[in-house]
Amino acid sequence: MSWILHRLKGDKVIWIIAFLLGLISILAIYSSTSAMAYRLAGGDTETYVLRHIILIVLGLVVMFVVHKLDYRIFARLSNILLVVTIPLLLYTIVKGAEVNDAARWINIFGQSFQPSDLAKLTLLIYLAKLLTVRQDVIKDFYEGFLPALFWVSVICGLIAPADLSTAVLMFLASLMVMFIAGVDLKYIGLLVMVAVVGLGILGSTAKRSATWESRMSDYVNRILDPEYRPIAQTTQSHIAFAGAGLFGKGAGKSAQRNFIPHANADFIFAVIVEEYGLVGAAVVICLYLILLFRSVSIITMSKTFGALLASGLAFILVLQAMMNMGVTVGLLPVTGLPLPLISWGGTSILITSISLGIILSVSREAFEGSPEKKKVTSSTSIKRKIQTRWANA
Amino acid sequence: MEQRGYYVLAFVGLIFLIYIGRLFSIQVLSEEYANRAEGQVVATQTVVPPRGNIYNRKGDIYVDNRPIFSLMVTPSELSIPDTTRLCLHLGIDKEELDKRLSKIFKNKRARWQEHVLARYLEPNQYGALKELFWNFSGVSFQATNKRYYQYPVGANILGYIREVNPSEIAENPQKYHRGDLIGNSGIERSYDDVLRGQQGTRKVLKDNLGRVVGLYKNSSLNVTAVRGPDMMIGIDTDLQALGEELMQNKKGSIVAIDPSTGEILAFVSAPVYNPGDLTGKLLDESYGKLKEDPNNPLFNRPLMAKYPPGSIFKVAMALAALDAGIINPNTYYGCGGGFKRNKGKPGCRMHVSPLSLKDAIKYSCNSYFAATYMDYLHEPSYDSIYAAYNSWYGYMYRMGIGHALSVDLPYEKGGSLPTTAMYDDARRWYGHNRWSATTIISNAIGQGEIEMTPLQMANLVSLVANRGKYYPPHLRVATRDKQEQAWVREHYDLIDTQIDPEHVEVVIDAMEEVVQFGTGRRAFLTDFHVCGKTGTVENSHGEDHATFIGFAPRDNPRIAIAVIIENAGGGGSWAAPTAAVLMEKYLTGKVVEKRGEMERILAADFITQ
């Protein structure tokens, strides 16, 4: 144990957050999976929870391995990732298995796999690299802004028909990364406008527009009409909140888990709130916020690429959590986004672990200094900075 | 760059703060969701009271309730060690059992709730299963009631019980819930609101898996179910049973009414079926069979079948013409085997001529009534044939012809009585001023456009027996008061046809002669002055229908009856003796004088011949 602890490098706070989220995940899954366990394994909840625990542990192992790597590898890997991801996305659109009417999944070696999860990594890594390379001309429309816009558009555009929510999520995260990288605000504003128009066109043509329409109209009605009864998932999760109180009903006491569809995936936050109350919700939200805070702090201590990479990955992770919770509390239209590191689902956990691993790798280097070019001046100044920070924290 | 990072952080933090606020508002401010959160654990169960019993006119229980059981299974706890014997007791094979179980198991969400495995188990099955279940788990019984018929007669009167259908629930969601029982047809339907009583509710606590774990707030919020009150109907079950027996192998109707009250004594629709066939698990199967039967036993003939009344209509004609002053008892018309003033139509049989009203009724002379009708419509005191027709129409209408009598049974038909407007319809009939007495002369002998239901025929003779006044025919006599446990009689208003009782007496004289010397001789009873009129309804599809209307005794009549036997030929040979058997039975309590007739009728078959 101490051997492992000794070798855990990087931001300890992020590690603690990862452990805590994993723990919460196991508890929540254990509680919420009973319905699914009955559906698929004849009541054998333990099978599912065990599988989930293994996945979480595996995720931690992946995090550990990745955080030991030099994150610059990913800059080099980014082209390859792009070459792999884009055909995969194309393939998904053409041949994807219809899960929940959405062609999001493909089968690889018998495992269903969601390429859009991989695309998240790819896009953010590539974007970080691109913006780093063009840091000098970042304010320029053609040299700095357009190339970034191109790749964001391509990848989000490929994902959008089957999985609009992920596309929107990635788009938002990309915007934030571009914002941090110093892209002119007016270009970003322009981009938002283009995106809205693009969404409109897509919404009127795509195959899933019926689903979107019902979700959107449900959302609009909910906002505008106080008497409107929201669709089942939202209603059921509201009932869960109402029954919870400040401290919740206690672990494993959720009643709504049997009524909320996808209680172990998209709506797991409702189960957490019901069982652990407003306090539990606040804790989970704080964990994500601290994660974001720590990642943003790394920006100050890292090179451009590392900073953009870590913050981008943190953004998308926290944004996804934000969108998931927004749906559950009924402030956003229903999407199919899982709660990162908490929801059920192998791909999601794996990709989240890789993301956290990369963030940790960046932070590790920020603490330790670059393994290759140890510029004494900057390195010592960073170290000092970190030490004061830690002392203050 | 760092600064911009903190902008993002602030942005995300703000949104999360909004989430917390939103959660807080749902929790603390929204009572609705809180109630619903409670609603998930406090379940309201409906308690269905037994339906009210039905009594016959003698005060004996006619219809009551017997327990019947549904076998329930709870999938999550189910263990069936002995499927073979379970199947045996349920009367199903292994395959069927597996099919039902897998259907129940398919519903993944409700594995902790009870599901129906088998419906409508009889008490003996229940007993056998109860013994078998000592080592079973996840099985239970749910008791409900089904109707039990102490006298297995009068299915068409009583109707049957079934589960409400989705459209009825949609129409009246406050009143009906899934699985509720409702009376379908018969008095079970017309008095459903009375008989069903008031459902109660019981609040129970359910755990998060939907299992009942206890009572909520010590049952203080429960609403007690109120049993539907008992009801007495005017049916004489013995008379009804005899009527149904007489009508075996025949199609037709018998309606008997107590003229002094309007209470329906018997209401037979043949072919007959056992009301018990439409209860419990028999319902679906029996209903299908009855529905497919070519003789259409589910068709409530006395209420819904419309026949041209034929010669019995002459009673109504005579009353109207006498009262309108068209004829008097001494008016004579000639008859030369047909109505000469209209080229011999309608035709008639050979009998004395010219003849008086009494003889015309006795011999059922078509010419006499054709002449009467023509004179009625040509009567100069009316401005036109329209006024004359409307006067005649008014008499008929007041005698309960051409409109429903509002009997307390659903789906009553009103028969048909043509209006001048109908004849004026040029497209379908004749057109304004394009018809005359001769055009519609068949009305005079009950063969034209006039159609009556057997109930209307019985009502007609009932009002004759009651000297021109009648109580609307009805079934419900009394309802049992909840507090005092005493019968509270229903009140019905006497309806006056405004026909002078003197005129009615003339017709009654003739009707008595019909039975003494005329076509209705087979209805004769030594001890009672039976009055009646036979009829033979021309039937273009086959043998004529035999009809008879009559009442007895002549003074202070106790029973008025209408009999229609389809395809039996002349009314005198079959319908009249059938009526006589029933009148004897009702008046004396037994059949002695008419025993021979009874046996002859029982042996007759007018369906398969």
Side-chain angles (χ1 to χ4, degrees):
Chain A
M1 200 64 194
S2 65
W3 182 83
I4 294 173
L5 283 179
H6 188 67
R7 275 159 187 76
L8 288 183
K9 295 286 164 22
D11 192 340
K12 294 283 190 297
V13 178
I14 294 180
W15 274 111
I16 291 168
I17 289 169
F19 276 119
L20 286 177
L21 287 178
L23 198 67
I24 291 169
S25 171
I26 290 168
L27 288 174
I29 289 286
Y30 186 70
S31 174
S32 66
T33 289
S34 56
M36 181 169 130
Y38 265 100
R39 201 155 60 231
L40 299 175
D44 192 359
T45 315
E46 279 69 23
T47 314
Y48 279 86
V49 173
L50 207 64
R51 211 191 115 180
H52 188 70
I53 292 173
I54 291 169
L55 272 172
I56 295 280
V57 171
L58 212 66
L60 289 172
V61 171
V62 168
M63 261 171 74
F64 182 79
V65 172
V66 173
H67 105 289
K68 284 288 186 193
L69 300 174
D70 182 355
Y71 65 87
R72 287 178 192 77
I73 292 172
F74 293 103
R76 271 169 252 137
L77 271 175
S78 64
N79 288 329
I80 301 166
L81 276 172
L82 209 56
V83 169
V84 174
T85 307
I86 288 177
L88 266 180
L89 289 175
L90 281 170
Y91 178 78
T92 315
I93 290 177
V94 181
K95 292 209 83 165
E98 298 273 331
V99 175
N100 294 336
D101 299 327
R104 301 175 178 181
W105 301 80
I106 55 169
N107 279 306
I108 292 178
F109 309 121
Q111 285 297 111
S112 64
F113 167 78
Q114 209 166 354
S116 59
D117 274 323
L118 177 66
K120 280 182 212 162
L121 272 183
T122 308
L123 178 64
L124 289 169
I125 293 169
Y126 193 81
L127 196 63
K129 190 187 104 177
L130 189 141
L131 292 171
T132 309
V133 169
R134 293 166 190 264
Q135 192 58 225
D136 301 336
V137 287
I138 199 75
K139 297 280 177 200
D140 187 88
F141 184 79
Y142 295 101
E143 292 296 314
F145 176 65
L146 264 190
L149 172 63
F150 173 76
W151 288 109
V152 171
S153 309
V154 166
I155 293 186
C156 292
L158 284 175
I159 293 171
D163 190 353
L164 184 69
S165 25
T166 305
V168 169
L169 169 71
M170 285 166 63
F171 183 79
L172 285 177
S174 305
L175 275 188
M176 288 182 172
V177 173
M178 282 153 83
F179 172 67
I180 292 201
V183 171
D184 205 321
L185 264 180
K186 61 177 184 248
Y187 298 150
I188 292 176
L190 184 74
L191 195 50
V192 170
M193 268 157 61
V194 171
V196 168
V197 173
L199 271 183
I201 294 166
L202 207 64
S204 55
T205 55
K207 215 163 64 172
R208 263 171 59 87
S209 59
T211 313
W212 292 349
E213 236 174 77
S214 82
R215 283 175 174 180
M216 279 314 295
S217 72
D218 168 70
Y219 178 63
V220 171
N221 286 335
R222 208 184 319 145
I223 300 298
L224 298 180
D225 179 5
E227 295 290 304
Y228 181 74
R229 306 215 146 270
I231 55 179
Q233 292 165 318
T234 320
T235 311
Q236 293 296 349
S237 47
H238 284 190
I239 295 169
F241 301 152
L246 202 55
F247 298 102
K249 293 179 176 170
K253 298 244 167 61
S254 167
Q256 285 301 106
R257 61 188 173 194
N258 296 307
F259 304 102
I260 303 173
H262 304 292
N264 59 2
D266 307 352
F267 280 82
I268 198 158
F269 187 60
V271 175
I272 293 174
V273 175
E274 193 183 7
E275 296 194 349
Y276 305 101
L278 209 55
V279 171
V283 166
V284 173
I285 286 175
C286 281
L287 287 179
Y288 284 113
L289 268 182
I290 296 169
L291 175 67
L292 187 66
F293 171 72
R294 299 302 303 186
S295 309
V296 170
S297 308
I298 296 169
I299 296 175
T300 43
M301 304 177 252
S302 304
K303 297 278 167 3
T304 312
F305 177 63
L308 290 180
L309 185 61
S311 55
L313 291 172
F315 289 160
I316 198 160
L317 205 142
V318 176
L319 270 181
Q320 187 176 332
M322 198 172 90
M323 281 171 78
N324 174 287
M325 292 176 188
V327 170
T328 316
V329 299
L331 286 173
L332 291 177
V334 174
T335 66
L337 290 174
L339 193 56
L341 218 61
I342 292 188
S343 284
W344 171 264
T347 325
S348 165
I349 291 172
L350 185 72
I351 298 293
T352 313
S353 302
I354 293 174
S355 306
L356 284 172
I358 295 172
I359 294 170
L360 283 165
S361 167
V362 176
S363 77
R364 175 178 61 81
E365 200 204 87
F367 294 152
E368 291 174 354
S370 163
E372 287 159 29
K373 306 169 199 168
K374 290 193 175 168
K375 283 186 185 169
V376 181
T377 49
S378 64
S379 150
T380 44
S381 75
I382 288 169
K383 271 191 178 161
R384 196 170 302 129
K385 213 168 180 180
I386 294 163
Q387 275 152 8
T388 50
R389 224 171 249 291
W390 277 106
N392 293 340
Chain B
M1 189 188 269
E2 185 186 353
Q3 201 189 4
R4 286 192 167 196
Y6 287 115
Y7 286 151
V8 173
L9 182 66
F11 169 71
V12 172
L14 184 72
I15 287 189
F16 277 136
L17 212 61
I18 292 172
Y19 287 1
I20 295 276
R22 168 78 174 171
L23 275 177
F24 184 75
S25 80
I26 291 174
Q27 279 197 352
V28 179
L29 305 177
S30 170
E31 206 175 313
E32 184 202 338
Y33 287 116
N35 285 338
R36 291 193 57 179
E38 190 189 23
Q40 300 282 5
V41 278
V42 180
T44 306
Q45 295 180 334
T46 308
V47 183
V48 181
R51 283 177 89 85
N53 292 341
I54 298 171
Y55 287 70
N56 67 14
R57 69 180 296 108
K58 289 171 186 153
D60 304 327
I61 291 182
Y62 182 2
V63 185
D64 59 6
N65 303 292
R66 293 286 157 95
I68 185 166
F69 299 90
S70 289
L71 175 57
M72 314 295 286
V73 295
T74 310
S76 60
E77 292 163 18
L78 190 63
S79 149
I80 305 177
D82 189 350
T83 47
T84 321
R85 283 181 60 196
L86 177 64
C87 288
L88 190 74
H89 287 307
L90 290 179
I92 57 175
D93 56 13
K94 181 84 171 57
E95 219 169 285
E96 173 68 22
L97 180 74
D98 287 344
K99 212 171 85 190
R100 289 186 193 178
L101 282 175
S102 65
K103 201 170 157 194
I104 291 167
F105 273 69
K106 215 177 267 168
N107 186 354
K108 296 296 188 308
R109 289 261 196 102
R111 296 179 59 95
W112 301 272
Q113 289 164 19
E114 291 183 332
H115 299 262
V116 179
L117 182 68
R119 253 181 224 290
Y120 308 133
L121 301 174
E122 296 297 333
N124 60 333
Q125 275 178 302
Y126 165 72
L129 285 169
K130 195 122 210 202
E131 243 170 66
L132 179 65
F133 283 172
W134 66 274
N135 64 343
F136 284 38
S137 68
V139 287
S140 58
F141 290 101
Q142 204 178 60
T144 47
N145 285 302
K146 76 161 186 176
R147 281 304 209 188
Y148 180 79
Y149 302 92
Q150 301 279 2
Y151 301 90
V153 294
N156 60 313
I157 305 165
L158 301 167
Y160 62 97
I161 318 280
R162 59 164 171 81
E163 278 188 15
V164 284
N165 60 38
S167 64
E168 284 161 340
I169 299 172
E171 239 169 67
N172 207 338
Q174 300 292 314
K175 191 163 145 197
Y176 299 123
H177 309 95
R178 231 178 72 112
D180 279 3
L181 297 175
I182 184 177
N184 196 54
S185 79
I187 54 171
E188 297 277 21
R189 180 166 190 109
S190 44
Y191 293 117
D192 189 55
D193 286 345
V194 179
L195 292 169
R196 74 204 313 259
Q198 280 151 22
Q199 293 189 338
T201 52
R202 178 169 51 207
K203 299 234 183 226
V204 291
L205 283 170
K206 282 189 173 179
D207 68 3
N208 55 7
L209 303 178
R211 291 177 296 209
V212 176
V213 290
L215 297 166
Y216 179 64
K217 292 199 177 163
N218 238 340
S219 303
S220 58
L221 297 174
N222 292 0
V223 178
T224 318
V226 182
R227 194 177 191 279
D230 295 340
M231 182 183 294
M232 184 191 281
I233 60 174
I235 294 292
D236 182 314
T237 38
D238 295 335
L239 190 70
Q240 176 77 19
L242 180 60
E244 293 190 0
E245 211 183 335
L246 290 170
M247 290 301 281
Q248 68 188 9
N249 300 321
K250 298 165 193 74
K251 283 190 277 183
S253 309
I254 298 172
V255 179
I257 296 176
D258 180 345
S260 63
T261 60
E263 289 163 12
I264 295 174
L265 304 171
F267 200 74
V268 179
S269 176
V272 172
Y273 59 92
N274 184 339
D277 286 353
L278 294 181
T279 58
K281 66 177 164 196
L282 290 171
L283 174 60
D284 290 339
E285 195 190 332
S286 309
Y287 188 83
K289 267 190 205 156
L290 291 170
K291 188 132 189 121
E292 275 166 29
D293 190 324
N295 294 317
N296 205 354
L298 289 174
F299 182 50
N300 202 353
R301 287 180 166 77
L303 197 63
M304 304 171 79
K306 298 188 290 184
Y307 303 92
S311 298
I312 58 170
F313 188 68
K314 285 165 185 162
V315 172
M317 274 300 295
L319 288 172
L322 277 172
D323 202 62
I326 310 300
I327 54 170
N328 62 55
N330 298 316
T331 303
Y332 282 77
Y333 287 111
C335 170
F339 183 39
K340 290 285 184 258
R341 281 150 74 187
N342 186 32
K343 299 167 196 157
K345 282 182 183 160
C348 197
R349 285 168 302 278
M350 292 308 290
H351 49 72
V352 289
S353 172
L355 74 177
S356 68
L357 172 63
K358 197 189 271 186
D359 285 343
I361 291 177
K362 189 164 86 183
Y363 297 121
S364 200
C365 175
N366 288 343
S367 309
Y368 190 95
F369 286 97
T372 305
Y373 195 40
M374 188 172 257
D375 284 357
Y376 199 136
L377 295 176
H378 291 165
E379 169 61 41
S381 62
Y382 297 113
D383 293 344
S384 66
I385 192 171
Y386 284 86
Y389 187 92
N390 284 336
S391 154
W392 175 83
Y393 181 93
Y395 276 110
M396 295 304 148
Y397 192 89
R398 287 197 293 278
M399 284 189 273
I401 299 167
H403 61 92
L405 296 168
S406 308
V407 69
D408 42 1
L409 285 174
Y411 319 123
E412 186 195 355
K413 290 277 187 291
S416 51
L417 178 65
T419 58
T420 52
M422 179 185 126
Y423 288 134
D424 277 356
D425 181 353
R427 214 155 36 82
R428 301 176 64 189
W429 290 92
Y430 310 116
H432 190 63
N433 281 332
R434 294 179 68 94
W435 51 276
S436 67
T438 49
T439 346
I440 59 170
I441 200 73
S442 337
N443 284 350
I445 56 164
Q447 287 290 359
E449 283 79 53
I450 297 161
E451 286 180 322
M452 289 170 74
T453 63
L455 179 66
Q456 287 173 322
M457 297 177 194
N459 187 58
L460 174 62
V461 70
S462 169
L463 75 88
V464 172
N466 211 30
R467 272 63 176 178
K469 299 181 171 65
Y470 71 96
Y471 286 98
H474 57 267
L475 287 159
R476 175 155 78 161
V477 171
T479 311
R480 178 113 68 188
D481 184 83
K482 269 261 126 47
Q483 265 79 48
E484 305 183 7
Q485 287 298 308
W487 291 111
V488 179
R489 293 192 76 83
E490 300 296 325
H491 173 77
Y492 295 89
D493 287 327
L494 187 66
I495 297 171
D496 191 350
T497 59
Q498 289 156 7
I499 294 169
D500 192 332
E502 226 173 89
H503 298 138
V504 182
E505 214 63 50
V506 175
V507 174
I508 290 174
D509 274 343
M511 286 172 75
E512 190 173 5
E513 287 198 7
V514 167
V515 174
Q516 282 172 343
F517 315 113
T519 50
R521 280 186 302 274
R522 281 177 185 273
F524 184 81
L525 291 173
T526 319
D527 297 339
F528 305 95
H529 294 279
V530 177
C531 306
K533 179 75 191 81
T534 61
T536 305
V537 179
E538 286 171 22
N539 175 18
S540 50
H541 305 294
E543 192 72 29
D544 292 346
H545 303 325
T547 60
F548 178 84
I549 57 172
F551 64 91
R554 175 178 169 149
D555 300 316
N556 299 318
R558 290 169 56 201
I559 178 170
I561 191 165
V563 176
I564 290 192
I565 306 174
E566 291 182 19
N567 312 119
S573 46
W574 295 105
T578 303
V581 171
L582 290 166
M583 286 192 279
E584 188 191 356
K585 172 75 180 175
Y586 184 72
L587 295 170
T588 67
K590 52 194 183 291
V591 183
V592 179
E593 187 182 345
K594 292 289 168 185
R595 180 151 291 273
E597 290 283 16
M598 183 174 85
E599 272 152 22
R600 190 177 70 98
I601 296 161
L602 286 173
D605 183 341
F606 296 114
I607 289 184
T608 53
Q609 72 177 12

